[in-house]
């Protein structure tokens, strides 16, 4: 198996596995759901439950990307597949690891470490894609309607989710409180940090509607 074949495989199998792994608890009765884990470490920073429905779209886009980049007459030999394949493969793998750990363990700093890997990988893919767009190397409807939404929304969601994860881990570890003035101040500081990151990314990327 060549390096390119391995990259292609790692961008096909994990996206197909993500929905199953994410539903490991409700479908197969293994562990607890991510919603249950999140509820036990609820802070003012954790998004409402409906916000997590974005994963349905991210799963669909990831599968579409995986299929497109494996097609010989599609994206297999595209610049996008060559440049984005490895960081996206890392993002998918780390995301699966986070899903498994979140259903088998409680919220904690170990989940923060994993989601930071997802964040780094997804932002790397996002900025590589922005360079491809600015150099006019990203052409065709798959790049416009699969690649750009995938890397933009994945990086955007994980940028926010990372800080929600930090807030939950800090609560469980006793570093912050959920209620009272101290809890409010901690939530405000975490939200400001999240806003600073997202605004910084948008500034560096010269804007991106999908990330926003």
């Amino acid at each position: 198996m060549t390096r390119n074949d391995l990259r292609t495989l790692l961008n096909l199998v994990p996206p197909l596995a993500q929905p199953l792994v994410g539903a490991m608890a409700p479908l197969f009765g293994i562990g607890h759901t991510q919603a249950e884990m999140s509820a036990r470490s609820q802070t003012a920073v954790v998004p409402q439950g409906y916000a997590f429905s974005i994963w349905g779209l991210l799963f669909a886009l990831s599968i579409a990307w995986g299929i497109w980049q494996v097609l010989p007459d599609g994206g297999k030999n595209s610049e996008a597949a060559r440049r984005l394949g490895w960081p996206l493969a890392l993002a998918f793998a780390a995301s699966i690891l986070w899903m498994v750990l979140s259903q088998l363990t409680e919220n904690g700093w170990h989940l923060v470490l994993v989601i930071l890997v997802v964040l780094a990988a997804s932002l790397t893919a996002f900025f590589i894609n922005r360079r491809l767009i600015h150099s006019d190397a990203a052409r065709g409807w798959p790049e416009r309607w699969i690649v750009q939404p995938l890397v933009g929304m994945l990086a955007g969601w994980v940028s926010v989710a990372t800080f929600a994860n930090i807030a939950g881990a800090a609560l469980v570890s006793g570093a912050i409180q959920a209620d009272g003035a101290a809890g409010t101040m901690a939530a405000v500081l975490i939200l400001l940090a999240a806003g600073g990151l997202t605004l910084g990314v948008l500034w560096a990327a010269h804007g991106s509607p999908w990330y926003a």
Side-chain angles (χ1 to χ4, degrees):
M1 178 181 290
T2 67
R3 177 181 171 86
N4 287 340
D5 290 337
L6 178 61
R7 183 201 69 217
T8 300
L9 184 65
L10 292 177
N11 278 271
L12 178 63
V13 176
L16 293 172
Q18 280 185 138
L20 293 175
V21 175
M24 188 172 69
L27 285 183
F28 306 110
I30 302 173
H32 47 250
T33 67
Q34 293 162 10
E36 292 169 344
M37 183 273 291
S38 180
R40 288 193 287 270
S41 55
Q42 185 73 33
T43 70
V45 179
V46 176
Q48 293 298 310
Y50 65 82
F52 293 90
S53 63
I54 193 175
W55 275 110
L57 180 56
L58 289 174
F59 286 158
L61 287 169
S62 298
I63 292 171
W65 154 263
I67 294 173
W68 176 71
Q69 60 89 43
V70 82
L71 296 176
D73 297 327
K76 186 171 185 178
N77 298 312
S78 68
E79 188 73 9
R82 291 195 296 270
R83 300 282 299 280
L84 300 175
W86 290 112
L88 280 179
L90 177 58
F92 295 145
S95 179
I96 287 175
L97 177 60
W98 189 94
M99 292 176 198
V100 171
L101 291 175
S102 69
Q103 293 173 92
L104 296 180
T105 67
E106 294 299 329
N107 208 339
W109 295 111
H110 62 296
L111 291 180
V112 174
L113 290 175
V114 176
I115 205 170
L116 284 173
V117 175
V118 183
L119 177 63
S122 60
L123 283 176
T124 298
F126 171 73
F127 279 111
I128 290 174
N129 184 244
R130 296 303 293 173
R131 287 196 292 271
L132 291 177
I133 294 171
H134 293 151
S135 64
D136 202 30
R139 301 175 180 175
W141 72 264
E143 283 91 341
R144 182 182 296 272
W145 296 112
I146 296 177
V147 181
Q148 291 182 37
L150 171 60
V151 297
M153 287 194 291
L154 178 61
W157 170 254
V158 178
S159 294
V160 175
T162 297
F163 289 93
N165 215 159
I166 289 172
L171 177 65
V172 170
S173 67
I176 65 171
Q177 298 176 3
D179 303 317
T184 299
M185 181 60 68
V188 169
L189 291 175
I190 292 172
L191 287 173
L192 287 173
L197 173 64
T198 54
L199 289 175
V201 170
L202 287 170
W203 176 81
H206 303 290
S208 168
W210 292 114
Y211 180 87

